[in-house]
Amino acid sequence: MFATMGALGLAPTAQAATREPAFDAPRKSDFTLSGKGAAKVVIVGGGIAGLTSAYELGKAGYECTVLEARDRAGGRNFTVRGGDTTTDLYGNRQTAKFTDGHYMNAGPARIPQWMITLDYCRELDVPIEVFTNINADAYIYNESAGMTSPMRYRTAKADTYGYVSELLAKATDKGALDAELTSDDRERLIEFLKDFGDLGDTLDYTESERRGYSVVPAAAGTPEVRCSNVPTASEVLATGVGRYFSFEFGYDQAMLMFQPVGGMDQIPRAPVRAIGAPKVRTGCAVTKITDTGGGVTVTYTQGGRTHQIDADYCIGALPPNILAKIPHNLGTGVQSALEAITPQSAGKIGLEYRSHWWESDHNIYGGITETDQDVVHIWHPSYGFHGERGVMIGYYNYADTADAYAKLTPKERENRAVTTGVKIYGDKYLTELASSFSQHWRQFSHQEAAWHDTPGGPDDARYKPLNEPSGRVYFAGDWLSYTAAWQHGAFTSARKAVTALNRRVLA
């Protein structure tokens, strides 16, 4: 039939099909600077904000140069691959031993679907895939609450929602909410709670298939066997598992979430290609910023030698704690504003394993295990399923806990993280381990922060000197946004800065 339709011209023939161009996804350019400018701009900092500034200004006709202190662009967007070497401020030197195709995203690792970050992935041809933020089969382990073995996320939710629904349904049924609800309201609420908590007609939570199975239903002769030993309401509440559920309701944490295929650093690599690699100078540590009235002079060192670059304008896109250390003549208001923004701590460790035992032994594909231990979060990889090897994030912790880990040697960090993981997953957490690599941002040169706290919000009066140009110097970074720590914040802040600069030039 299809061949006949093709002969009649009603369907493409096989020969015609081979001539069709490959599908090219539509590119949404939701941001375009109006008019064409003609000015030279030096951008201090090659993170997401700096690269975005150069990319957008370049499209509008500006001559841009990016100065980046490290040997790579991307800033905190850092994907660790085999062969990558770092030395932290404590002197700990590490070289990653991950095998080809495996990596850890040491900085940003997930992208909500509403963020502008995905618009740039589309525009710059960065393929994306799903990042599994929530997994019903991942674990919760609260040792301080007396748990001696982990609980599946699905089981914890079934029991918590079940008992809370039972308590509210019975209170409603006994008239405890008569002052707040009409009789119709009460009936509707009870029907909702019966479904939400999987309650019986007696409004009792006894058990639920939502908890999971000890024997999974299969062929004839193998009926389901539901998990037994349902705890009491008091026992469930005592575990503290319920405090993890609100995480998935957060606007910036709700599924679906995404990641670039092949590592988060595919994002900064794309604008570097678009800008032109020679215009992104790495290994250039800025030592002075001077507004000359008619332009800006930036002094920097590269390869042990001091250089200067003159431009019409400058965009300061370094972390504020780093910018605050650079001598400048931009005024005390700028300096005070920079110093008011507080750097925060976070750390991660990537554990490469010789097999995907979490898939084969635990049936966990992606997602995050939550724990009250100092590892805080354990991430299962959302790529390379059924692969020979895989990299788990053995801890993602913050604040004082991250700083305490940072003071350890890399091997001590590994031992401490693995000791905790064995409690949750068993011996393979140790015996299948091939290598590790740990990253702590407060102790990482030229960054010295995982993200920043901007007290009062970025529109607070104290940050006015940063939200407006200081002479011919503009500022950009996620720290000047309402989404600090997200690349979205860096993108939007850069767009704000280049819009103001462009209007000034055109005027």
Side-chain angles (χ1 to χ4, degrees):
M1 182 184 296
F2 189 78
T4 302
M5 292 172 64
L8 295 173
L10 300 177
T13 63
Q15 186 179 19
T18 62
R19 293 195 299 267
E20 290 182 3
F23 173 72
D24 193 13
R27 291 172 175 78
K28 174 187 175 185
S29 182
D30 66 336
F31 178 79
T32 303
L33 290 174
S34 60
K36 289 287 185 180
K40 185 176 181 180
V41 183
V42 59
I43 297 161
V44 178
I48 296 301
L51 293 175
T52 305
S53 298
Y55 172 65
E56 295 295 355
L57 287 172
K59 289 194 296 183
Y62 292 82
E63 180 184 345
C64 297
T65 301
V66 180
L67 301 178
E68 167 55 43
R70 300 200 60 79
D71 59 359
R72 58 166 186 83
R76 285 164 291 160
N77 183 323
F78 179 28
T79 299
V80 180
R81 306 175 190 280
D84 286 340
T85 298
T86 63
T87 302
D88 66 23
L89 298 181
Y90 289 127
N92 293 307
R93 180 180 173 85
Q94 297 180 84
T95 297
K97 299 178 181 178
F98 300 150
T99 52
D100 289 347
H102 296 282
Y103 56 85
M104 67 173 284
N105 289 317
R110 49 195 170 186
I111 309 170
Q113 55 195 316
W114 56 269
M115 288 187 168
I116 284 173
T117 309
L118 290 185
D119 292 336
Y120 279 96
C121 288
R122 181 190 302 110
E123 182 171 328
L124 292 166
D125 289 325
V126 178
I128 60 172
E129 60 190 1
V130 170
F131 174 89
T132 308
N133 208 34
I134 303 295
N135 185 341
D137 280 322
Y139 289 125
I140 297 174
Y141 180 70
N142 288 341
E143 189 176 66
S144 64
M147 293 177 68
T148 57
S149 60
M151 181 184 297
R152 295 280 188 180
Y153 201 92
R154 69 165 75 247
T155 305
K157 286 182 73 172
D159 290 346
T160 302
Y161 288 175
Y163 280 122
V164 169
S165 297
E166 176 186 329
L167 294 171
L168 183 54
K170 288 181 176 178
T172 304
D173 195 46
K174 293 178 181 178
L177 300 179
D178 285 358
E180 286 79 19
L181 302 174
T182 66
S183 59
D184 287 343
D185 290 337
R186 291 196 303 274
E187 185 175 325
R188 294 175 186 128
L189 176 59
I190 289 174
E191 286 303 307
F192 163 75
L193 292 170
K194 287 172 68 175
D195 179 69
F196 184 71
D198 201 15
L199 308 179
D201 290 335
T202 61
L203 304 183
D204 291 313
Y205 175 73
T206 55
E207 57 88 36
S208 170
E209 58 85 23
R210 299 174 184 176
R211 303 184 78 247
Y213 302 105
S214 58
V215 177
V216 176
T222 311
E224 67 185 49
V225 178
R226 296 184 180 182
C227 292
S228 57
N229 301 321
V230 181
T232 65
S234 178
E235 290 169 337
V236 170
L237 295 174
T239 64
V241 295
R243 66 174 176 259
Y244 299 109
F245 305 152
S246 60
F247 171 77
E248 63 191 87
F249 299 137
Y251 188 70
D252 59 359
Q253 295 292 346
M255 289 295 287
L256 288 174
M257 299 190 82
F258 294 88
Q259 62 184 4
V261 175
M264 190 61 71
D265 64 352
Q266 301 304 317
I267 292 179
R269 288 181 179 185
V272 168
R273 288 193 296 269
I275 296 164
K279 297 178 183 178
V280 182
R281 302 180 187 175
T282 58
C284 299
V286 172
T287 58
K288 190 175 183 180
I289 300 173
T290 305
D291 188 311
T292 62
V296 181
T297 298
V298 175
T299 305
Y300 65 95
T301 61
Q302 184 182 36
R305 300 181 63 182
T306 299
H307 306 268
Q308 285 188 340
I309 182 170
D310 296 317
D312 299 304
Y313 299 94
C314 172
I315 296 178
L318 286 175
N321 51 313
I322 303 299
L323 270 173
K325 298 178 182 180
I326 298 175
H328 60 79
N329 66 340
L330 306 179
T332 57
V334 167
Q335 186 65 21
S336 297
L338 291 171
E339 292 176 353
I341 302 174
T342 309
Q344 303 297 306
S345 300
K348 287 182 182 178
I349 189 169
L351 303 174
E352 184 178 23
Y353 287 96
R354 286 181 280 268
S355 67
H356 281 222
W357 53 263
W358 53 91
E359 296 172 358
S360 59
D361 295 3
H362 298 262
N363 295 322
I364 298 176
Y365 289 78
I368 301 172
T369 284
E370 304 287 358
T371 172
D372 64 353
Q373 304 294 285
D374 61 11
V375 298
V376 187
H377 311 289
I378 299 175
W379 291 15
H380 313 95
S382 290
Y383 72 95
F385 300 114
H386 291 173
E388 181 179 354
R389 289 186 172 227
V391 177
M392 291 180 67
I393 299 300
Y395 62 71
Y396 178 18
N397 48 27
Y398 336 97
D400 293 342
T401 301
D403 288 337
Y405 264 85
K407 294 176 181 177
L408 304 175
T409 67
K411 187 62 178 179
E412 288 171 337
R413 298 171 194 166
E414 175 193 292
N415 291 340
R416 186 164 169 176
V418 170
T419 297
T420 298
V422 168
K423 298 178 184 178
I424 302 170
Y425 297 94
D427 290 342
K428 285 189 178 180
Y429 206 86
L430 171 62
T431 59
E432 288 294 295
L433 183 64
S435 68
S436 70
F437 188 97
S438 48
Q439 172 76 6
H440 287 264
W441 287 101
R442 282 288 277 141
Q443 292 73 33
F444 194 61
S445 62
H446 305 296
Q447 297 288 154
E448 299 179 31
W451 54 78
H452 299 83
D453 177 30
T454 307
D459 285 315
D460 189 271
R462 79 189 90 175
Y463 310 117
K464 185 177 180 180
L466 304 177
N467 283 312
E468 297 178 353
S470 177
R472 288 175 171 261
V473 178
Y474 293 73
F475 300 92
D478 62 290
W479 40 277
L480 280 178
S481 79
Y482 286 98
T483 50
W486 293 95
Q487 294 174 98
H488 171 88
F491 282 121
T492 57
S493 178
R495 285 152 60 133
K496 177 178 179 291
V498 300
T499 297
L501 190 157
N502 184 53
R503 285 174 180 167
R504 179 173 174 176
V505 170
L506 295 183

